[in-house]
Amino acid sequence: MTSGSSRSKVKSERLSRILKNRWLYILLLPGLIYFLLFKYLPMWGIVIAFQNYQPFLGISGSDWVGFEHFERFFTDEKFWLLLRNTSFLAVLNIVFFFPLPIVIALMLNELRNEVYKRFLQTLIYVPHFVSWVVVVGVVYIFFSTEEGVVNQIAAQLGFEKINFLLSKSWFPVMVTAEVIWKETGWGTIIFLAALASVDVSLYESAKLDGAGRWKQMWHITLPGIRSTIIILFILRLGQFLDTSFEQIFLMVNAANREVGEVYDTYVYMTGIRQGQFSYSAAVGLFKSVVGLVLVLLANTLAKKFGEEGVY
């Protein structure tokens, strides 16, 4: 009787909390519905990676082939090419792109003029809303061999023209530079929010001890947002083999395909254009598994060194 009454009491308390915060739960609904419809339900389609999927037969009517598509992919000569190209671009993004939003956020945080600060924030946010089609179009205008502004200036200064758009060596540089220009400003939002939560009294104490701005940033600001940096880094590893398909697809051509072909473009070519749905699903599943393994390893290491981690 006592246990039954305690359970009913817990249920009533839980119900009262839900009713009290009902508007917060209602605000959560759109996000929950979005993830359910577009993230979790589509995961059912993973099974076609283990089938010889035929659209007219459907998932239930298609034959099961086990790991046949994975064996084909791992023994394909393109596997190492795709792994090399995708990993190289991913490492460039982590090394050169990931730290930049932190640096920009720290610089913005040091500004004392709020009007100028908000103007700069708006200015660096704008590129995020420009489509990749426009970005690549601008790159073609600036870097084309004959009519590109960069090559025209180089020619006037007496330098030889460089074929940026067809060069294999320039392809990773240009792709990384485009990502930096487009997404760095947008990436500062989370770090600026984290900086706003740092205790102001710590800066006041540091000033009394004679610490300058550089020491304050190094000993107070960075430690204050360290957990945010680590969490975002772990989440970024989950997308390690993900590249912007639209960007790469628009930048790749016959001359630089050897260094520009990545998993996303390969999935498009084999899955959409050639109709090999099961094979392309196997490639996509491989990417997801690699991301999951990297997240688990990074999260374990973070916890081992005393950080919170993602979970």
Side-chain angles (χ1 to χ4, degrees):
M1 183 69 179
T2 306
S3 60
S5 61
S6 62
R7 282 198 298 268
S8 62
K9 183 179 180 181
V10 170
K11 289 181 180 178
S12 62
E13 289 178 354
R14 187 179 300 170
L15 181 61
S16 63
R17 285 199 303 270
I18 292 174
L19 291 174
K20 182 180 179 181
N21 301 302
R22 59 186 179 278
W23 295 113
L24 293 176
Y25 287 105
I26 291 173
L27 287 174
L28 279 174
L29 278 178
L32 292 174
I33 293 172
Y34 167 78
F35 277 96
L36 180 64
L37 292 179
F38 298 102
K39 299 295 182 179
Y40 288 99
L41 286 181
M43 290 178 68
W44 169 247
I46 289 175
V47 299
I48 70 173
F50 306 94
Q51 294 180 320
N52 186 17
Y53 177 72
Q54 300 295 329
F56 296 105
L57 297 176
I59 293 177
S60 59
S62 299
D63 297 329
W64 292 87
V65 295
F67 292 93
E68 179 181 317
H69 299 299
F70 294 93
E71 293 175 2
R72 173 190 165 191
F73 176 55
F74 294 144
T75 55
D76 194 327
E77 60 180 9
K78 273 202 167 185
F79 172 77
W80 295 108
L81 174 70
L82 296 171
L83 183 62
R84 182 196 68 190
N85 294 345
T86 310
S87 300
F88 184 57
L89 292 176
V91 170
L92 287 179
N93 278 332
I94 289 177
V95 172
F96 293 103
F97 167 67
F98 182 79
L100 280 179
I102 304 172
V103 175
I104 300 297
L106 291 173
M107 294 172 66
L108 289 172
N109 189 58
E110 293 298 318
L111 294 177
R112 296 295 176 258
N113 189 322
E114 288 296 324
V115 176
Y116 182 56
K117 179 179 178 179
R118 296 193 180 280
F119 171 75
L120 285 180
Q121 285 180 256
T122 305
L123 195 65
I124 63 177
Y125 291 165
V126 169
H128 171 77
F129 300 99
V130 180
S131 71
W132 278 117
V133 176
V134 176
V135 173
V136 175
V138 172
V139 169
Y140 269 72
I141 292 172
F142 273 85
F143 292 96
S144 62
T145 307
E146 298 301 327
E147 300 179 357
V149 176
V150 174
N151 273 314
Q152 286 184 4
I153 295 174
Q156 291 177 1
L157 294 175
F159 296 101
E160 293 185 4
K161 292 183 177 181
I162 301 174
N163 200 337
F164 294 99
L165 302 177
L166 300 180
S167 172
K168 295 179 183 179
S169 58
W170 278 99
F171 178 84
V173 177
M174 297 188 69
V175 167
T176 306
E178 289 169 6
V179 174
I180 289 173
W181 179 81
K182 189 175 186 296
E183 301 296 343
T184 298
W186 188 254
T188 62
I189 294 177
I190 296 178
F191 295 110
L192 286 171
L195 288 169
S197 64
V198 178
D199 190 356
V200 180
S201 63
L202 295 175
Y203 294 103
E204 296 174 353
S205 301
K207 287 179 182 178
L208 293 175
D209 292 335
R213 282 196 173 186
W214 175 258
K215 288 187 176 180
Q216 291 176 35
M217 182 182 68
W218 187 257
H219 295 288
I220 299 175
T221 307
L222 282 176
I225 63 172
R226 183 175 58 192
S227 59
T228 303
I229 295 173
I230 292 174
I231 289 173
L232 290 178
F233 181 74
I234 294 172
L235 294 176
R236 182 67 186 85
L237 288 178
Q239 302 174 336
F240 183 75
L241 295 181
D242 288 341
T243 54
S244 176
F245 163 75
E246 191 176 359
Q247 177 198 14
I248 302 297
F249 183 74
L250 292 169
M251 290 293 294
V252 166
N253 51 55
N256 60 25
R257 188 171 297 278
E258 185 179 345
V259 296
E261 187 85 47
V262 294
Y263 287 115
D264 291 334
T265 55
Y266 184 67
V267 167
Y268 168 76
M269 294 296 294
T270 57
I272 304 300
R273 299 190 65 173
Q274 299 177 13
Q276 302 180 50
F277 301 108
S278 292
Y279 179 68
S280 60
V283 177
L285 182 56
F286 166 74
K287 279 179 46 187
S288 301
V289 170
V290 170
L292 176 62
V293 171
L294 289 175
V295 167
L296 294 175
L297 288 175
N299 192 76
T300 302
L301 287 174
K303 284 187 169 293
K304 187 176 181 180
F305 286 98
E307 299 296 333
E308 295 182 2
V310 177
Y311 59 90

